């Protein structure tokens, strides 16, 4: 469902202390593991919520259509279907099974079966794709909300950093003016 994410930590081999990449914040190994667990729990909770909502909003027929589409779009289906078609054609063309041929070339019955499969499989796959598109849209809205919130927090942090930077510049000016005053007094 979710793949394991490793929290970006630079670990020193000599000791247990680590730093968060880009922030020079020291954390120990247990804290890094705790952060990894929290991130994994958060991601799995979102996926569980989305899966529960999918189960609530779809009928059994919808889920069956999704399973058919999932199988119909897999290599397993392609291989099985290719074997089926090959065996059908071979069975109905070799002379050894002449008495048991049920669809002589040009394989009209096979053509009819393929048309039926295509006629029923295409709408089922399209229904499944429409549901997947709606689910993807819902997930993208969630992603947008998370990204928007993160952007607001980044803007807020940048504002704080600019304020701190202005204060540091002011302190440097004050220190340099104090140093100049000390030089003039001596």
């Amino acid at each position: 469902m979710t793949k394991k994410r490793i929290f970006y930590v630079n670990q020193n081999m000599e000791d247990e202390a680590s730093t968060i990449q880009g922030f020079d914040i020291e954390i120990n190994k247990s804290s890094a593991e705790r952060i990894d667990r929290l991130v994994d729990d958060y991601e799995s909770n979102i996926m569980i919520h989305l899966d529960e909502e999918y189960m609530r909003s779809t009928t059994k027929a919808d889920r069956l259509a999704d399973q058919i589409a999932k199988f119909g779009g897999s290599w397993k289906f392609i291989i099985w279907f290719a074997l089926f078609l090959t065996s059908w054609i071979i069975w109905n063309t070799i002379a050894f099974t002449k008495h048991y041929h049920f669809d002589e070339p040009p394989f009209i019955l096979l053509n009819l079966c393929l048309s039926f499969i295509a006629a029923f499989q295409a709408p089922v796959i399209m229904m499944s794709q429409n549901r997947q598109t709606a689910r993807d849209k819902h997930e993208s809205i969630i992603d947008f909300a998370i990204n928007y919130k993160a952007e607001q927090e980044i803007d807020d942090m940048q504002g704080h950093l600019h304020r701190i930077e202005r204060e540091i510049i002011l302190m440097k000016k004050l220190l340099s003016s104090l140093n100049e005053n000390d030089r003039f007094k001596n």
Side-chain angles (χ1 to χ4, degrees):
M1 190 179 314
T2 61
K3 50 184 173 173
K4 175 95 169 118
R5 260 203 199 159
I6 305 297
F7 195 77
Y8 292 84
V9 175
N10 295 329
Q11 202 166 49
N12 301 329
M13 293 298 185
E14 298 151 7
D15 57 12
E16 290 291 315
S18 304
T19 58
I20 299 176
Q21 186 175 4
F23 293 102
D24 296 331
I25 299 171
E26 289 200 16
I27 58 172
N28 58 22
K29 188 175 180 179
S30 65
S31 295
E33 290 170 355
R34 183 175 149 267
I35 292 169
D36 284 339
R37 277 194 313 276
L38 289 172
V39 169
D40 289 341
D41 288 345
Y42 180 74
E43 287 177 345
S44 66
N45 285 339
I46 288 175
M47 291 306 295
I48 288 169
H49 175 69
L50 289 174
D51 289 339
E52 286 174 356
E53 185 175 327
Y54 170 75
M55 294 301 279
R56 278 193 312 269
S57 65
T58 57
T59 64
K60 287 183 181 181
D62 292 337
R63 289 190 293 274
L64 177 64
D66 290 343
Q67 291 300 319
I68 291 170
K70 183 178 177 181
F71 177 70
S74 68
W75 279 106
K76 186 177 183 179
F77 171 77
I78 292 170
I79 291 168
W80 279 104
F81 203 64
L83 290 172
F84 170 75
L85 292 176
T86 303
S87 60
W88 181 298
I89 292 169
I90 290 172
W91 182 265
N92 287 296
T93 55
I94 59 175
F96 178 71
T97 59
K98 180 78 171 153
H99 298 294
Y100 302 106
H101 289 180
F102 54 89
D103 189 22
E104 296 282 332
F107 306 113
I108 295 172
L109 182 59
L110 177 62
N111 192 9
L112 179 65
C113 290
L114 293 175
S115 296
F116 271 121
I117 290 171
F120 287 107
Q121 190 180 25
V124 168
I125 290 172
M126 289 176 67
M127 287 187 299
S128 178
Q129 286 176 339
N130 289 340
R131 271 190 303 285
Q132 186 61 43
T133 300
R135 184 175 179 173
D136 289 344
K137 183 178 180 181
H138 183 70
E139 288 179 21
S140 70
I141 290 169
I142 292 171
D143 288 344
F144 174 77
I146 291 169
N147 291 340
Y148 183 73
K149 177 69 175 166
E151 184 179 347
Q152 287 178 326
E153 290 177 5
I154 289 170
D155 287 343
D156 188 42
M157 285 190 289
Q158 282 180 332
H160 289 299
L161 288 173
H162 289 303
R163 181 183 53 79
I164 291 170
E165 189 176 85
R166 285 191 303 271
E167 289 175 0
I168 289 174
I169 290 171
L170 182 63
M171 283 188 241
K172 282 182 178 179
K173 285 180 182 177
L174 287 173
L175 283 174
S176 66
S177 67
L178 286 174
N179 285 339
E180 285 180 19
N181 287 340
D182 286 345
R183 276 190 231 155
F184 289 128
K185 287 181 182 179
N186 292 335

